[in-house]
Amino acid sequence: MNNLQYEFGMVGLGVMGRNLMLNIADHNFSVIGLDLDPLKAKVVETEAGEGKPVRGTTSIEEFVQSIRKPRAIMLLVPAGNPVDAVIASLVPLLEPGDIVIDGGNSYFPDTERRVVTLEEKGIHFFGMGVSGGEKGARYGPSMMPGGNRDAYERLRPIFEAIAAKVDGEPCVAYLGSGSAGNYVKMVHNGIEYGIMQLISEAYDLLRRGVGLNDDELQAVFQEWNQSELQSFLIEITAEILKKVDQDTGKRLVSVISDRARSKGTGKWTSQNAMDLQVPVPTIDTAVLMRDISKYKEERVEASKLLPNKALEVAFDGDRQELVNQMRNAFYFAMISTYAQGLAQLTVASEAYNYGLRLNEVAKIWRGGCIIRAVCLNDIRAAYEKNPQLPNLLLDPKVGGDLLDRQLAMRAILKLSIDKGIAMPAFMSSLAYFDAYRTEVLPTNLIQAQRDYFGAHTYERIDREGIFHTEW
Ligand code: 6PG
């Protein structure tokens, strides 16, 4: 296939890059891959098999010359310097109108900078979040592209073909200009962190607080995946809880170290939310719980010095009722987490001129990605009905669903407090709801204090103007 003009080019033939190439070829688009490692360049051809329009090369000149113009070239290399290095080596060979797509989890200000630098040369740069891991890349990811709208038309047929489908609709859509795609993926990951933390808290209370054994726990998550909680993360949790460790005969999860790692996207979501002054407390909590998990030695010492006596008393309530309450509470907390992330997108879209349409975001999150969940149908409907919705909680259907479940949430949190089991993400999710729906918050007192000690002034509820009091 040496003389073919390939429809698409891929740089970085690690497992994600390779799998995306095979996915592209499955949909009858020819694709050429570039990797400096000759083995990787070869493997993709072998994996594709005879007759597929797939080629791997180690020559950047051959790579660029073999792609149909305007060229569409995607990078799947580690975020940060490697992206800049690849761009620098490609740019001298590219022509105006060509498109470079970064498919990694790049930090959105980096994308913004690259868009501007490449646009000066007439080259369109796209930051595109790709979610769904290795399997998603192979059989249908969710893709979040941002960049030049007109240039997107060159990419659309390929992306729509390879994306996951839900009810026949592809889980990809043009999201907006500049770094919109990376930003949306960053918030996707923030929500991912939040929901993963919520699942771990639910698992902990059911296990240590209520005393469910391994099989019972597994059955709960399996059942939940047939309910309104149906989602990828609940589904894989049920799978994970089943897995037995060959060496010890125990459940594998119970022999996995509790020090959680991270690559940064959750933290970026929280950091940027603070910059934009958008509260995302469940996501913040998820980030900080991964941090607490790293202090293993201190926690071991503290567990001896500050023992949790509440756990010595067995739970004597109705276990089935508690499991039902947990299901409702989880739904509440999960929706609260989506609401926070989507509110962040609303503010960011305004601040960075992305022009996001949240119904589209909800649509493309319904399949392929890590936070795919059946509840995204309701979320999408809410933004379809009212594209200006400032917060998901203001949608009558979604808000009503939470009102119906708030007592379950409170019951679960009461038990967690009695048992001394930390459920900070559940707590944050409820506090977000309670604060958001409060007409008068006690922040009037904070304003008074600021004026008292610093003459920072305050506004009044009964008169226009700025006031200061000699307290
Ligand atoms: C996805 C995932 C993916 C990756 C996370 C893991 O959407 O496919 O979010 O991007 O698995 O970045 O992030 P941490 O290592 O920070 O947990």
Side-chain angles (χ1 to χ4, degrees), residues 105 130-133 185 188-189 192-193 261-265 290 370:
N105 277 330
V130 179
S131 180
K185 177 58 167 47
H188 164 286
N189 281 27
E192 172 186 305
Y193 272 54
R261 314 253 175 218
S262 43
K263 293 200 205 78
T265 45
R290 289 197 192 189
I370 305 297

Side-chain angles (χ1 to χ4, degrees), residues 198-464:
L198 290 169
I199 291 176
S200 74
E201 291 178 10
Y203 158 77
D204 201 18
L205 190 73
L206 292 176
R207 191 172 59 101
R208 289 196 299 146
V210 183
L212 263 52
N213 66 29
D214 289 341
D215 289 334
E216 290 166 332
L217 270 170
Q218 200 277 328
V220 164
F221 280 91
Q222 193 143 327
E223 239 176 76
W224 283 359
N225 200 42
Q226 309 303 318
S227 74
E228 71 276 27
L229 302 191
Q230 190 183 77
S231 56
F232 174 72
L233 286 169
I234 294 284
E235 179 191 330
I236 65 164
T237 304
E239 291 293 313
I240 288 168
L241 294 178
K242 234 190 260 175
K243 188 83 180 165
V244 174
D245 174 44
Q246 297 302 331
D247 297 336
T248 58
K250 295 180 185 167
R251 298 293 159 123
L252 180 56
V253 69
S254 69
V255 296
I256 291 180
S257 158
D258 63 355
R259 288 179 214 255
R261 314 253 175 218
S262 43
K263 293 200 205 78
T265 45
K267 184 180 77 173
W268 295 342
T269 309
S270 275
Q271 284 177 323
N272 186 252
M274 292 241 175
D275 288 343
L276 295 176
Q277 302 182 17
V278 197
V280 291
T282 310
I283 297 171
D284 300 340
T285 303
V287 175
L288 75 86
M289 286 308 284
R290 289 197 192 189
D291 291 339
I292 288 191
S293 84
K294 295 183 180 96
Y295 291 79
K296 181 71 181 180
E297 286 79 18
E298 289 178 44
R299 285 189 290 112
V300 169
E301 195 183 332
S303 72
K304 295 188 182 117
L305 196 69
L306 314 164
N308 185 353
K309 300 270 186 228
L311 289 180
E312 288 166 15
V313 187
F315 174 75
D316 62 357
D318 182 332
R319 284 160 42 123
Q320 189 51 50
E321 190 191 338
L322 199 283
V323 169
N324 286 341
Q325 283 172 328
M326 184 64 96
R327 196 192 69 240
N328 283 314
F330 186 87
Y331 186 84
F332 183 113
M334 175 176 69
I335 296 291
S336 175
T337 309
Y338 279 108
Q340 295 164 38
L342 290 161
Q344 179 168 351
L345 288 182
T346 302
V347 176
S349 181
E350 187 76 21
Y352 305 130
N353 286 319
Y354 288 148
L356 295 178
R357 289 155 301 148
L358 294 194
N359 60 328
E360 289 287 289
V361 172
K363 181 183 109 179
I364 68 173
W365 282 353
R366 290 178 313 144
C369 65
I370 305 297
I371 62 168
R372 63 184 184 256
V374 77
C375 69
L376 280 159
N377 284 318
D378 281 352
I379 296 176
R380 177 194 186 182
Y383 285 103
E384 220 121 75
K385 211 164 41 182
N386 180 5
Q388 311 307 329
L389 195 65
N391 192 301
L392 191 56
L393 301 185
L394 293 175
D395 176 73
K397 158 102 176 60
V398 175
D401 277 352
L402 295 204
L403 264 187
D404 289 346
R405 288 172 163 89
Q406 56 158 333
L407 292 182
M409 188 72 176
R410 294 178 204 285
I412 288 296
L413 283 168
K414 278 178 205 156
L415 179 65
S416 82
I417 290 166
D418 287 346
K419 286 287 179 190
I421 292 178
M423 294 187 74
F426 272 78
M427 206 109 56
S428 301
S429 306
L430 178 63
Y432 178 77
F433 172 90
D434 279 336
Y436 188 74
R437 59 123 182 226
T438 297
E439 189 180 342
V440 181
L441 285 170
T443 25
N444 52 346
L445 181 54
I446 291 174
Q447 282 295 80
Q449 290 164 333
R450 291 177 68 246
D451 189 58
Y452 184 104
F453 61 65
H456 293 300
T457 73
Y458 55 88
E459 288 144 311
R460 294 180 59 102
I461 58 173
D462 54 359
R463 260 177 271 161
E464 288 290 311

